[in-house]
Amino acid sequence: MAAPELTVPDLEINRRITILPLQEYYTSGHRTCQGCESALVMRYMAKVAGPRTLVTGTTGCMYVANTSYNSTPWSLPWAHTQLGSSGSSAIGTSAALKALMRKGKIPDERINVIAFCSDGGGGDMGLATLSAAMQDTRYNLLILLYDNESYANTDIQASGMTPWGAVTAFTPSGKRQRITHHRWKKNVPALLMAGHPTGRYFANTSSGFGMDLMEKVRTALDMDGPTFVQTHDPCPKGWDYDPRMSHELAVMAVECGITVLWDCLEGELRYQGISRQQVEGKLRRRPVADYLRRQGRFAHFADEDIDFFQSRIDEMWEDWILPGVLRVNQTPFGPGGSRG
Amino acid sequence: MTATEQATSGTPAPAGHEAGHEEIITGCDAVAQALRLLDVDVLAGYPIRPYDSVMSAVSKMIANGQMDAEFIVAESEHSQFEIGKHASLVGARAFIGSAGVGWMYGMEALVVTASLRLPVIALVGNRALDDPGAFGVEHNDALMVRDTGWLLYWVESAQEALDTTLLAYRVAEDKRVMLPCALSMDGAFLTHSQHIVRVPDEERVSRFVPPYDLGDRRFHPDNPVSIAPQFNEDWVMEARRQSDAAMRRARTVIGEATADFQRLFGREPEDPFVDAYRMEDAEYALIGMGTVGMVGKVAVDRMRAAGKKVGFVRVKWFRPFPRPELRALLRNVKGVGIVDRDYSFGSSSHAGVLYTEVTAALYPEPRRPVVAPFIAGLGGREVSVENMLEMEDSVERVTAAGELDPTCQWIGVRGPATDPRYEQGENPRTAEGGAR
Amino acid sequence: MSVGAVDITYRGIFQKNLAGVITKELVKAARHEDKIGGTVQRYGDSPERNGIPAKQFSVIADDADSLRVEMTKYEPSNVVVVAVMDDTLTKGVESWAWYGVRPINLNLAPGGTLLVISRRSAEELLELIPRREYAWNLAILPGEPSFGGLWVYNDDGTDYRTMGAVSRVAGDLVSLDSLLAQAASGQDGELRAEQLREGHDSVRAYPVDAGVGAEDTYEPVEMPGWTQMREGLVIPAVPVGETNPLFKKYTTRTARPLVKFDACVKCQICYTVCPDECFIPTPEGHWDIRYESCCGCGICAQSCPVTGCIEMVDEAVFDSNEPLHGVYENNREEYEELRQDKLAKAGGPIPHYGIF
């Protein structure tokens, strides 16, 4: 099947969108929540990947809500993979394509291999497979981690990427303990970037920044070798807010400096958009209270909790040599950064 | 051209003559040779003794250019099996393997490989499950997948390991089957012992096993499908029934493929499902799996020389289970002993898995033999000819006594057959100042 | 009657806790009459999704055997009351793929009562609710739908008002006295009692004869047997350019985006941010909406940079999923009249319907 020639009408406003094909490869008819930003990420991902693409997806919302027998929203070939298997499914798929093409068993062509996983499947259970995938430079693959900050499909349990203090089904706020989620969110793209020097491309982006997201997915797919993109996707169900606020919350997370738009192409770290302006000191970060107070999962927060949250965000911007990305405060050559 | 037509279209080798060349290699090496001959596309390995030497052999052949395949060193068995599963889904011939708790670690991936109906082949180097860490053979590891849609086979020799690897791909990839197959090999006795093996030529192998074709299930941009969406209660039973039908059809396919194999590679005809040794007029029989067959046959020869009418049955295919064969073979036998190299704590008679299966298979017979359960050779302990004689003796004794429910005996275990004080919960060790 | 069920049909997640309170408290109240009971959450609806229709049931029985039979079902039988927590649900319920949009009163027992929380008249609701082959009752509890979140419960009395209304329309299942006795044993007993009485007294019931109501277009789906399904758990992908034919999602919608095309600046943001791929380009650069696919999340309205261009309007005032740009193309004034008419009927746009 060839890519249709349709494109968005060329109009003055937001000209960058006009380069996109109008065609959807992840289409209407998925049983996701109202305002599901992860579904939007799937749409963006499929749109820029195009028809010569294979997608595997781990168990989670983007499995159960999307594909329920005998129904699917995918126009691309899609296959389920187990919760912790995004990396291994990508390796297996890519290795098979490589072997079959080399041996002349199937035509030799460029086929995108994308494995998507969630914060639970990728950041917790499947972390070892992400690591293995980032190491194996023989295979062209993209791991896309859609981070909605909990095990959302199973009705919202804390993952290693749930923000500190948030209420989930396993970390409720109670009469004796106000906060029961004690772990600070792990930074998976930075973790992978720091430990896998042979990975070609690592990126962090947000569903609220569609063009940034699509550019990053496209950049990843154009690279040879393993690549990783993480997206920050507001989840109206688990975060507990009016679904129509989804997009604004995604943007707000970046404005507050909680989510950072960055990528690392062949070892070169770059910041994008609002995050770049924040790094360059051209834009002040918004107080995290604006973001936290709009979500039911933080409704139990006392002022001191918000202050603590703010202090951790401040630290990652003010003390880290790579602001918002990697917690390194000091180099062997002295205190870090010429910014101070 | 169907697999059968393709396989039989060539000139069969004359009986007794085998093409190829002879080598002295281990069971693992024999499987590796088969993988080379089969032009396997993707292999994923993760180290655990004793299966892992098959992956060492394969990676060496790839490095030497004798084999063209993608070999992936996975970071866990779970990933290893998922890599195999997804490669198979793309249309690549895939191979995996493991042993003991490694096989357990990847259990989830094994289950979905079967439910996705993907003909991945695995080698299980049978190994005791942890704890304690132990290398020796026990069959519990491979048996753990017995209910999930895996074809299961236990080999006795390195030659059989090579042959069965070819057979496994032929059967598993047959359109009527499309199920994964695990080939079990006793740790140490086969994985690490070298045997004389006849290695066939590639041309004959490619005639026996046609190219792998997943058809309209192939994961490729030219075949837009969604694979394994979520099923609710309105659909799951139907999918399970399909797997059930595939496993039932496997019996027919195994029969055809075995006949083709014997013709094409010039082997003596023998039953595809069981290795029945001197069972023609047997009054007593022992049943086991794997290398126990070797000593079992020697024991039978000795007893026959002494005038006893005894035979041995080695179960080759455990899934599908050879119920018709066992019923026919045991119909006129007075007493049967089951040699389980595994355990099923708390099961009927506190015996092993093979016992449970054989007794269930015999249940519809109007005249059933006495079936005596034995547990032997756990954790890699040797099972000797003397052990086999001891078990046969016991079978005769309980049969003569008319015991319908003989007690399960642990053969080769040190200490008394039973100890009333121990059963009561006392500890004779401290009472007697026993060994520490 | 040996056993009867109350079906609470509600908006997934937003009303999950509400439905949970009602189903449990009804059973607890029935205990005051020496009845037994349990609750059933329709497993096929879980995990729930925001807005997607879901059901929970109270099962109340006189004897253990009747209860045992019902408690092993996904949907209990003899549903004597279907309580609808949001009146837009009366347009039908598509909770899972494949089963289609099912009428709200599909499983209502003959002579049973469909209890709807609504500000609309019986006539208006009967334009949406399909007819049955038997007589039934429509009861209306005046009110707005109560929406809460997964973690933060919207404790506005809707739970007890609904229970009071249930006792009015199905008093032999559970009486107001039993509910009052149960409420008195818990916290805020007086407030609860007031809410129960208010619900009991303000509900209005209308008998509906067989054959009265909207056309019933529902056709039960045929389920293929195991030999008719593809092997290997495989289903076909959606052909490029089409949408999923087996799940449409519009019954998730409580409000729909209505576009004032004259105000549109053609920025394409609505199209870009829509998670459900609803926006269709028109030759002149507007974005028409495929309402069949729209779940009414409101992100487009929220993201639209032009005030009053995309507005969320109560779904109950619409009777079709047809895209509306065609009307606009034909006659712009006529379209504006239609838009104004819908806004008027709906009482203006919906600014916000969550509690955060």
Side-chain angles (χ1 to χ4, degrees), chain A residues 8 28-35 43-44 47 70-72 74-75 153 155 237-238 240 242 244 247-248, chain C residues 47-50 95 149 151 238 244 246 249 252 268 271-272 274-277 295 297 302 312 350-351 353-354:
Chain A
V8 171
S28 300
H30 33 87
R31 196 177 165 274
T32 52
C33 289
Q34 286 179 341
R43 177 187 168 217
Y44 288 153
K47 188 187 269 295
N70 175 15
S71 151
T72 180
W74 291 100
S75 291
N153 186 62
D155 283 345
K237 171 181 168 181
D240 199 348
D242 187 323
R244 69 162 62 182
H247 216 68
E248 285 174 65
Chain C
E48 284 180 19
R49 317 285 171 189
N50 283 19
S95 59
W151 311 125
V238 180
N244 180 0
L246 296 170
K249 209 178 183 179
T252 302
Q268 314 179 71
Y271 152 74
T272 312
C274 175
D276 288 278
E277 302 81 26
C295 66
C297 68
Q302 194 75 8
M312 299 304 290
I350 294 174
Y353 46 79

Side-chain angles (χ1 to χ4, degrees), chain C residues 247-267:
Chain C
F247 188 76
K248 292 303 181 190
K249 209 178 183 179
Y250 60 84
T251 69
T252 302
R253 200 165 61 217
T254 56
R256 70 163 66 182
L258 191 59
V259 187
K260 185 176 182 180
F261 292 109
D262 282 333
C264 173
V265 295
K266 306 177 182 180
C267 69

Side-chain angles (χ1 to χ4, degrees), chain B residues 47-222:
Chain B
I48 184 168
R49 276 156 53 90
Y51 104 99
D52 53 347
S53 50
V54 67
M55 294 300 180
S56 307
V58 165
S59 54
K60 189 76 178 167
M61 285 194 285
I62 294 171
N64 284 335
Q66 296 162 293
M67 189 174 169
D68 182 6
E70 294 296 308
F71 178 71
I72 294 136
V73 182
E75 95 298 332
S76 73
E77 282 90 358
H78 189 281
S79 289
Q80 183 194 1
F81 304 161
E82 280 284 326
I83 288 167
K85 180 194 95 181
H86 282 278
S88 182
L89 198 56
V90 173
R93 189 168 278 166
F95 179 80
I96 57 171
S98 195
V101 289
W103 185 249
M104 299 292 96
Y105 191 82
M107 180 60 90
E108 179 195 38
L110 295 175
V111 171
V112 291
T113 303
S115 50
L116 280 170
R117 306 279 305 281
L118 292 171
V120 174
I121 306 300
L123 172 63
V124 181
N126 293 133
R127 165 178 174 158
L129 298 175
D130 289 5
D131 265 344
F135 299 146
V137 51
E138 274 173 12
H139 292 166
N140 282 84
D141 51 3
L143 285 170
M144 291 279 181
V145 298
R146 70 176 197 245
D147 303 327
T148 62
W150 276 78
L151 303 162
L152 292 175
Y153 191 108
W154 261 264
V155 301
E156 182 188 76
S157 68
Q159 183 69 57
E160 193 182 10
L162 190 153
D163 295 353
T164 309
T165 307
L166 306 179
L167 192 66
Y169 277 100
R170 163 73 182 266
V171 170
E173 292 176 2
D174 191 289
K175 284 268 181 297
R176 293 166 287 177
V177 180
M178 284 289 176
L179 290 171
C181 179
L183 189 66
S184 273
M185 189 185 283
D186 288 356
F189 306 118
L190 265 177
T191 56
H192 286 67
S193 306
Q194 305 200 63
H195 298 225
I196 299 166
V197 175
R198 195 86 200 158
V199 180
D201 58 86
E202 206 165 324
E203 185 270 337
R204 213 170 283 249
V205 169
S206 59
R207 265 196 285 156
F208 178 59
V209 187
Y212 171 39
D213 177 13
L214 198 55
D216 65 0
R217 296 204 284 136
R218 189 170 64 115
F219 195 42
H220 188 275
D222 290 340

